[in-house]
Amino acid sequence: MDKTNTLTKNTSYGKKRRFKKVLVSLFLLFVLLLQGCADEKPQFQAGEAGQGQAAEVVHNSGELAVHYIDVGQGDATLITCGGSSMLIDAGNNNMGTTVQYYLSKQGITKLNYVVGTHPDADHIGGLDVVLYKFDCETFFMPDIEKDTKTYQEVVDVAGLKRLTISHPEEGDSYALGDASFTILSPSVAEGEQDANNSSIVIRLLYGESSFLFSGDAEAEEEQAILDSGQRLSSTVYKVAHHGSSGANSKPYLDAVSPKYAVISCGKDNSYGHPHKEVLQMLQDRGITTYRTDEQGTIIVYSDGETISFQQEGQKDTGRAENKSMATTQNKSESEEDYILNTNTKKIHLKTCSSVADIHEENRLESKETLTVLMKQGYTPCKRCIGY
Ligand SMILES: [Zn+2]
Ligand SMILES: [Zn+2]
């Protein structure tokens, strides 16, 4: 009798537990579904540039799309054309995963070209994640090195993926689907130390539309391009050096003579980008200007004749995303230290939410590169570093 009783008790307890389990599963499913919805990006506004009116635009996959991805203070531009794709820069160190998710969301698994315009952290910081996560065919960097952990990590991951770093030369042209692009610069002089003035400058052509990407080129490099006599005129100009007045010299801007300009920068960044002199020059020339710090990610579509803009939407200054951007700009051009968990052997960024849970005795700060730490038996945290 006793036995049966216990058994009955157990069974009814088991039933209750199963019921509880089902409830928990249903709740989790509900939470996941909710999260799924929350993860969806806010509706992009479609419309003809400068009009600011919402209009439904249907895009076919064969046409050209240029995505100026909002990475705070930094640059990251994705270009797709008929199944081919190119990424120019990948933002700062803490933006690698953001760029990775953005590319994945566009269905990208392979990149035909990856360009690190110059070895500054706000351009190549996130490239290690991209090079690691995606099948990259050709990797371009200027022939200049930088003695930073960020640069070393990119070189290390390229090595890990058996990817050669190619130095493109002025005048080289490449196909990207039905589009093509030409390297306008640099022709790096022996002993050139200035990273910004070694920026790879690219002019992309698709039908009658053209796009110019200038990296952080400053007046000196702009002058060298002007002197080379290459064609600069472009429909859409990605304003050089986040809108710095040290770049975007008058003769250069006049030679580009764009209809539209896009500035990639972080809200309230410490450099004061974009500089008001540059905004004034754009305004004086009647150039419609878009900014990632105000409109978020900006996508330009071209069918070879007509161009249309989509923007993420006006940014609300009080919102949390701007907080994270303020963090980004402080880190700009600086190096990232890692927090190690000596117990779990995980590498975290300081900003990772898991860091708070690490016991004091297991917590270690490190200035080593990822590759060195991985050789010591550590693995990068999936949440913060992404691989
Ligand atoms: Zn920069
Ligand atoms: Zn730079």
Side-chain angles (χ1 to χ4, degrees), residues 197-214:
N197 277 318
S198 305
S199 290
I200 294 178
V201 177
I202 292 172
R203 185 169 178 267
L204 174 79
L205 203 63
Y206 183 65
E208 288 163 24
S209 60
S210 46
F211 298 75
L212 188 68
F213 308 94
S214 284

Side-chain angles (χ1 to χ4, degrees), residues 73-75 118 120 122-123 196 215-216 241-242 333:
Q73 182 67 14
D75 270 10
H118 67 295
D120 279 348
D122 57 323
H123 296 254
N196 286 344
D216 279 355
H241 201 178
H242 322 285
E333 312 269 348

